[in-house]
């Protein structure tokens, strides 16, 4: 999730655990602890793909954060012994563990069990969602105005947690809705990704892929019984095969679970993470290799500039979200619009 949300979650937990003892100052401590795991963004791992796939790695691992909680709690207890070590440990442990757990509900991927296992991504909440964050901020504001405001802080945490549970229910409802339409076009066994569109859980984006084909669907809870609109995008399996042996290509395939779009830009082979952003405006595209008459030559990965988004994108999304527009072709949100079958 975004930094404001993680800081608000950390501050809320700190307020609930220690607000009566430490008052307003505990909010700052909680907010700083809540942003601590994301400091890995300052580390340069040596290439664009490495920086992309190792973010939310060791710094978000439960194997690292749980032992670290004991050390940080001891230091804070020595600093402010009016709160017992056990309470400090509860405060620090809950904040550090809930940070990666919340991130795991997003699409990016969180390596909860680094260095073991695969990234965890439940895809049920957008990285910025006001309905999750606002109850937390309201509880923190109440503590600032009239400490300790334990009931308000706790209520904020409960409401946000219930909303997080709702995202999973909504995701399953959308999944059940699109599966018959995908089966009709021969995509019953396709890899499927169901995630909310930006800033809400009313409108959802569904991506289904096979080796040669990809379908995108936008649908939501205000659509009623309207027929689903399927957008068709071709894939380039021959390009995927040409770089399949490259370590960075394999790393991207692992991190994205195969939700990649390979393209040829001049003589350069690129791979785009199609989970994030929208068709034509995906933020993460990497150059992996160059082609020539002698074959494919790997190069140190670089990240291509983020593409522009159509200035009319937000009004189009709002119109679709509120049900005024029954159909939204995702590729029309990019600049220039992407040509495909919709």
């Amino acid at each position: 999730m975004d930094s404001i949300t993680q800081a608000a979650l950390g501050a809320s937990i700190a307020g609930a655990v220690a607000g009566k003892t430490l008052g307003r100052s505990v909010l700052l401590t909680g907010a700083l602890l809540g942003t601590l795991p994301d400091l890995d963004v300052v580390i340069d791992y040596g290439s664009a793909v490495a920086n992309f796939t190792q973010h939310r790695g060791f710094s978000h691992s439960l194997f690292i954060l749980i032992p670290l909680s004991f050390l940080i709690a001891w230091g804070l207890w020595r600093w402010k012994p009016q709160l017992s070590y056990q309470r400090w440990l509860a405060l620090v442990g809950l904040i550090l563990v809930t940070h990666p757990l919340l991130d795991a509900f997003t699409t990016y991927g969180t390596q909860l069990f680094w260095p073991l296992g695969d990234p965890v991504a439940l895809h049920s909440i957008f990285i910025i969602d006001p309905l999750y964050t606002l109850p937390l901020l309201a509880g923190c504001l109440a503590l600032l105005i009239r400490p300790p405001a334990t009931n308000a802080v706790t209520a904020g945490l409960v409401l946000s947690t219930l909303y997080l549970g709702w995202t999973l229910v909504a995701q399953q409802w959308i999944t059940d809705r699109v599966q018959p339409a995908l089966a009709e076009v021969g995509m019953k066994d396709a890899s499927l990704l169901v995630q909310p569109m930006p800033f809400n859980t009313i409108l959802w984006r569904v991506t289904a892929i096979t080796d040669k084909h990809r379908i995108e669907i936008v649908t939501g809870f205000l659509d009623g019984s309207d027929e689903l609109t399927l957008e068709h995008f071709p894939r380039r399996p021959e390009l995927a095969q040409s770089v399949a042996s490259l370590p960075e290509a394999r790393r991207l395939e692992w991190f994205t679970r195969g939700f990649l779009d390979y393209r040829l830009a001049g003589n350069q082979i690129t791979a785009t993470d199609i989970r994030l952003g929208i068709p034509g405006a995906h933020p993460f595209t990497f150059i992996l290799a160059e082609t020539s008459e002698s074959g494919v030559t790997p190069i140190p990965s670089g990240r291509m500039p983020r593409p522009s988004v159509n200035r009319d994108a937000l009004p189009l999304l709002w119109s679709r979200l509120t049900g005024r527009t029954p159909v939204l072709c995702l590729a029309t949100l990019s600049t220039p619009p992407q040509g495909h079958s919709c």
Side-chain angles (χ1 to χ4, degrees):
M1 296 292 284
D2 63 285
S3 297
I4 293 176
T5 299
Q6 291 290 9
L9 177 60
S12 297
I13 292 173
V17 173
K20 287 184 178 180
T21 303
L22 299 180
R24 297 183 181 93
S25 66
V26 79
L27 292 177
L28 179 60
T29 302
L32 292 175
L33 287 170
T35 59
L36 181 63
D38 283 338
L39 294 182
D40 67 326
V41 296
V42 305
I43 301 174
D44 184 358
Y45 292 98
S47 74
V49 168
N51 290 338
F52 176 65
T53 60
Q54 295 196 53
H55 174 49
R56 295 192 186 175
F58 78 92
S59 69
H60 286 59
S61 171
L62 299 181
F63 295 142
I64 300 295
L65 293 176
I66 291 175
L68 183 62
S69 299
F70 287 87
L71 180 61
I72 294 177
W74 181 83
L76 291 172
W77 172 58
R78 294 297 300 270
W79 174 47
K80 288 192 173 182
Q82 60 265 45
L83 195 68
S84 69
Y85 175 71
Q86 289 76 16
R87 292 284 294 282
W88 273 121
L89 182 59
L91 183 152
V92 175
L94 285 171
I95 293 173
L96 292 187
V97 167
T98 54
H99 178 120
L101 290 179
L102 177 58
D103 278 345
F105 281 81
T106 67
T107 294
Y108 187 94
T110 308
Q111 296 173 56
L112 290 178
F113 307 108
W114 180 95
L116 307 174
D118 297 328
V120 178
L122 300 180
H123 316 292
S124 70
I125 192 169
F126 189 67
I127 192 171
I128 301 173
D129 191 322
L131 288 183
Y132 178 84
T133 308
L134 287 175
L136 299 174
L137 291 175
C140 292
L141 181 61
L143 197 157
L144 279 173
I145 295 173
R146 192 171 183 178
T150 304
N151 290 340
V153 173
T154 302
L157 285 167
V158 169
L159 287 174
S160 287
T161 302
L162 290 174
Y163 181 74
L164 202 58
W166 149 253
T167 68
L168 294 173
V169 174
Q171 182 187 52
Q172 186 58 52
W173 190 91
I174 296 295
T175 301
D176 293 341
R177 182 166 195 256
V178 302
Q179 283 179 334
L182 292 173
E184 287 182 6
V185 294
M187 300 283 280
K188 178 180 179 181
D189 298 322
S191 297
L192 191 64
L193 189 157
V194 181
Q195 61 179 319
M197 293 290 281
F199 317 125
N200 78 104
T201 52
I202 300 300
L203 191 64
W204 291 71
R205 172 191 168 202
V206 178
T207 306
I209 60 170
T210 63
D211 288 342
K212 297 181 180 180
H213 197 60
R214 166 172 142 233
I215 285 179
E216 298 272 3
I217 303 172
V218 176
T219 186
F221 289 93
L222 299 181
D223 289 355
S225 59
D226 293 345
E227 185 176 349
L228 296 174
T229 300
L230 279 61
E231 297 182 66
H232 299 262
F233 297 82
R235 301 190 77 200
R236 298 285 301 275
E238 74 281 2
L239 289 179
Q241 186 60 36
S242 69
V243 296
S245 63
L246 303 184
E248 292 204 316
R250 293 201 303 269
R251 178 79 180 179
L252 279 175
E253 288 280 350
W254 166 78
F255 189 73
T256 65
R257 296 182 181 269
F259 281 84
L260 291 171
D261 181 44
Y262 292 93
R263 287 285 179 261
L264 196 58
N267 70 330
Q268 295 179 326
I269 298 176
T270 66
T272 298
D273 183 348
I274 59 174
R275 305 170 306 159
L276 307 174
I278 54 177
H282 297 292
F284 295 102
T285 295
F286 303 94
I287 303 169
L288 299 180
E290 294 179 344
T291 61
S292 64
E293 293 181 358
S294 59
V296 175
T297 303
I299 59 176
S301 63
R303 181 179 167 188
M304 296 186 71
R306 182 188 295 261
S308 300
V309 176
N310 189 336
R311 67 180 59 187
D312 296 325
L314 285 179
L316 286 170
L317 282 171
W318 178 253
S319 180
R320 181 65 179 83
L321 171 63
T322 55
R324 294 200 301 269
T325 301
V327 175
L328 173 66
C329 284
L330 283 169
T332 63
L333 303 181
S334 63
T335 303
Q338 303 294 300
H340 67 288
S341 172
C342 178

